[in-house]
Amino acid sequence: IIGSVGRYNEYKDYKTFIAASEIMLSERKDILFVLIGEGLEDNNEELKKLLIKHGVYDNFRLLGKQNNVNELFLLFDIFCLHSVSEGFPNVLGEAMSSGIPCVSTDAGDAGILLGDTGRLVEVSQPKQLSKALLEVLDLPSEKIKEISILGRERIKSKFSINRIVNKYEELYKEISIS
């Protein structure tokens, strides 16, 4: 199960993700894609047409907006962020802190968050994205466990609320001295 969480808009680049899913499904038929977020429902005709056009509709579950995303993360074998533009992608950090192996496009601060704990690919490159996702799916379970632990530890050590508060305090002290 490859999951994605975000609202439906052009910046999230569902076209690339769906094109990547078509490539993946041409090699493996045992993949299910789960989309969670506002506008990611069966009544989104634009999205539905895109899934049908690529021949992947039956391999997608569109769950729409959910209030229990942290619980749903645990269903994913991989989390995928496929945006063309981001600021600081909180959802990537949430997936990492949930122990989910992640594949992301190099949008915004995704690379800073991910570090060397997942796979980072260029934006709008379905072949790269599909290759990275398949590589992670094919990793041995020991390696998946290692990546999961490294991702969690990275978020805890570099992006915890206490660390962020300390960084702001340091910045304010620096500003007030100068």
Side-chain angles (χ1 to χ4, degrees):
I1 297 174
I2 298 174
S4 176
V5 178
R7 65 192 179 287
Y8 185 74
N9 71 35
E10 64 186 271
Y11 298 112
K12 301 301 181 188
D13 198 11
Y14 286 95
K15 289 179 181 179
T16 292
F17 185 57
I18 292 167
S21 73
E22 181 181 13
I23 295 167
M24 295 172 68
L25 290 167
S26 72
E27 295 182 33
R28 292 178 60 160
K29 302 293 182 207
D30 65 337
I31 303 170
L32 181 67
F33 300 89
V34 176
L35 301 181
I36 300 171
E38 189 175 326
L40 298 169
E41 301 100 5
D42 272 331
N43 64 2
N44 179 334
E45 290 302 319
E46 180 182 341
L47 176 59
K48 199 170 176 179
K49 285 178 186 173
L50 192 60
L51 293 169
I52 292 167
K53 174 185 164 193
H54 284 274
V56 298
Y57 180 77
D58 291 339
N59 290 80
F60 273 78
R61 298 299 175 268
L62 308 175
L63 302 185
K65 190 173 180 178
Q66 298 290 318
N67 294 323
N68 59 339
V69 173
N70 289 339
E71 294 170 24
L72 294 170
F73 273 134
L74 302 177
L75 300 174
F76 301 164
D77 294 303
I78 300 174
F79 173 79
C80 182
L81 180 79
H82 38 80
S83 301
V84 293
S85 178
E86 282 286 342
F88 186 85
N90 289 320
V91 69
L92 181 60
E94 291 168 12
M96 291 170 66
S97 68
S98 295
I100 310 303
C102 297
V103 173
S104 178
T105 53
D106 193 7
D109 290 336
I112 293 169
L113 264 171
L114 201 55
D116 61 358
T117 67
R119 302 285 165 85
L120 193 67
V121 302
E122 294 175 41
V123 298
S124 301
Q125 297 297 318
K127 287 181 184 176
Q128 283 184 26
L129 186 59
S130 64
K131 181 178 182 216
L133 288 164
L134 285 171
E135 285 173 357
V136 174
L137 274 179
D138 290 338
L139 289 172
S141 59
E142 305 83 44
K143 187 66 176 171
I144 294 285
K145 186 174 183 177
E146 179 186 324
I147 290 170
S148 299
I149 291 168
L150 289 171
R152 283 184 69 139
E153 290 304 313
R154 180 171 177 78
I155 295 300
K156 282 170 55 177
S157 68
K158 297 200 176 287
F159 301 100
S160 71
I161 190 67
N162 291 338
R163 176 143 174 140
I164 301 302
V165 167
N166 290 339
K167 288 287 189 186
Y168 272 109
E169 287 174 349
E170 289 172 17
L171 177 64
Y172 292 148
K173 286 178 189 173
E174 187 179 310
I175 292 170
S176 67
I177 291 171
S178 46

